[in-house]
């Protein structure tokens, strides 16, 4: 494995952690804007309907996947521009 690819690993991990925090904040804002409570329901919330819980889970998964793809792809493109190699 090339040195530049090894050097990218900690950068990728840091970007992933930052992306998780960003995705959490983005989902929270999306949930508020959709007119629901300030907090999204947990699967074990007794007072929430199945429908609301499943919609929240699906939206949260979509937001996390989109943010992860955005962060991963942006990091890889930046790495390629800096080193000339793709970090995969």
């Amino acid at each position: 494995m090339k040195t530049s690819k090894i050097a990218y690993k900690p950068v990728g991990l840091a970007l992933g952690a930052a992306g998780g925090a960003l995705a959490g904040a983005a989902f929270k804002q999306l949930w508020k804007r959709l007119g629901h409570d300030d907090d999204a329901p947990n699967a074990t919330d007794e007072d929430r309907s199945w429908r609301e819980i499943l919609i929240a889970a699906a939206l949260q998964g979509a937001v996390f996947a989109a943010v992860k793809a955005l962060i991963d792809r942006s990091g890889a493109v930046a790495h390629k521009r800096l080193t000339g190699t793709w970090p995969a």
Side-chain angles (χ1 to χ4, degrees):
M1 187 179 282
K2 289 186 175 183
T3 305
S4 65
K5 290 183 181 184
I6 293 171
Y8 181 75
K9 294 292 181 186
V11 173
L13 289 172
L15 288 173
L22 178 66
F27 171 69
K28 189 172 185 173
Q29 288 301 314
L30 177 63
W31 191 254
K32 282 182 187 179
R33 288 182 188 211
L34 290 174
H36 297 282
D37 296 334
D38 285 344
D39 293 324
N42 292 321
T44 57
D45 284 349
E46 186 176 13
D47 299 327
R48 304 289 183 104
S49 69
W50 275 93
R51 182 175 186 252
E52 187 177 19
I53 289 169
L54 294 176
I55 288 170
L59 283 174
Q60 187 176 29
V63 168
F64 271 80
V67 170
K68 182 182 182 327
L70 177 101
I71 297 291
D72 288 349
R73 184 66 178 201
S74 297
V77 168
H79 183 270
K80 170 107 181 189
R81 286 183 184 154
L82 290 172
T83 66
T85 62
W86 195 257

